[in-house]
Amino acid sequence: GVLGDFGVCQNPGVFRNEACTNGTGVFSQALAGEKCDEANVDCRQPAISIIKRVQDPDTLVWEDANSPPGVLYPTGATVRYQLYVCNEGDVALEEVYVEDPALGIGQSLIGALAVGECKTLEQGTLPAGVPGLDSDLACANPGQFPNTAYADGYYGGGQGPVEDDDPANVTCQDPSVDITKVGPPEAKVGDTHTYTICVINDGDTDLQNCSVTDDRIPEVALSTAYDGILQPTDQLCDDFDYVFPDEASPVDNRADVTCDVVGASATVTDFATWSTPLFVVDGVLTKDCQPDTLITVPDPLDWDICVENTGAKDMTCDVTDSKAFAGSKQLTVPVGQTVC
């Protein structure tokens, strides 16, 4: 019998009972003693259990992740699952089936389980033709991926089933960091210009231990607003001054950022570049007098003051000459031209 049947098998074990009769016959003839008969019932308790586990990708420990967020995986990774099925009752289970619809596993026979026997199912241990337990589907997209595995057991020539199920939760993370660097569109050798470097958490996971390096700026410290944790959408920006050296144009540089992912042994990185063309401002100043021979006071003397632009940018020049004129004169000199 099975526990609970007809009020007899309320507890496992043998249920012994005896029926007796003692009375008078039809013709008031006493029966020859009490007549008794015994009937025994063996009360069985079939039961099955299933535990669905997820392997932590960092520690490689199998976790029974019943509640969200469960085990953390990066989006796009293969999630490893394991099923642990046991006969928890006192009846042999002749046919045991497992099912995991979210992984595409329909009801699949895994054999029989003796009393107290357990089976561990991992990738490659399910019957041929059944999808595996390692899933690329689980973390195909960021976010929560809950799913449940089911076990059914049959006993006593097709009686049952006894059933159990167990959930497993995975959170698929998409950590990311972005860095931008903006500088001057052009610069002159020796000028001081400002670069602006910004770091933003453009993923869905908290980041920590963020650091920035730059091949032009020796020390790049993140904003004082950075408290060690960069939450999703958080952004930090800082300005850094730089003196442009006398070197071949353009001046190229690169900034790199590296952050650790909170709760996982993973890092995210990004880089940004900026190129600044250098230009030269140069010219030739000449001064001639007309006539260039001796003159008699107070005959007039004419000066020719000229500026030639030999650089790469149009120039606006202030010209002073204490003998020729008072104050200053402003000359606009296009590239390659001479203005007098």
Side-chain angles (χ1 to χ4, degrees), residues 201-216:
N201 182 344
D202 60 348
D204 60 3
T205 309
D206 288 353
L207 304 176
Q208 63 184 358
N209 303 326
C210 294
S211 63
V212 175
T213 58
D214 190 291
D215 58 4
R216 293 284 177 177

Side-chain angles (χ1 to χ4, degrees), residues 171-217:
T171 296
C172 307
Q173 298 179 318
D174 190 19
S176 179
V177 68
D178 181 66
I179 187 171
T180 61
K181 181 170 186 177
V182 178
E186 58 183 9
K188 179 169 66 69
V189 172
D191 281 355
T192 299
H193 288 278
T194 299
Y195 285 110
T196 299
I197 297 176
C198 293
V199 174
I200 183 171
N201 182 344
D202 60 348
D204 60 3
T205 309
D206 288 353
L207 304 176
Q208 63 184 358
N209 303 326
C210 294
S211 63
V212 175
T213 58
D214 190 291
D215 58 4
R216 293 284 177 177
I217 302 171

Side-chain angles (χ1 to χ4, degrees), residues 34-51:
E34 186 178 55
K35 302 296 183 179
C36 295
D37 190 47
E38 187 177 83
N40 298 306
V41 177
D42 189 0
C43 299
R44 300 298 182 92
Q45 189 173 18
I48 194 170
S49 68
I50 185 170
I51 299 175

Side-chain angles (χ1 to χ4, degrees), residues 47-51 84-88 113 118 151 163-165:
I48 194 170
S49 68
I50 185 170
I51 299 175
Y84 186 66
V85 185
C86 291
N87 183 343
E88 301 283 358
L113 286 177
C118 297
E163 303 170 326
D164 193 31
D165 60 76

Side-chain angles (χ1 to χ4, degrees), residues 111-134:
L113 286 177
V115 173
E117 183 183 3
C118 297
K119 283 188 177 181
T120 300
L121 305 174
E122 295 181 12
Q123 180 73 7
T125 60
L126 290 175
V130 177
L133 285 167
D134 290 355

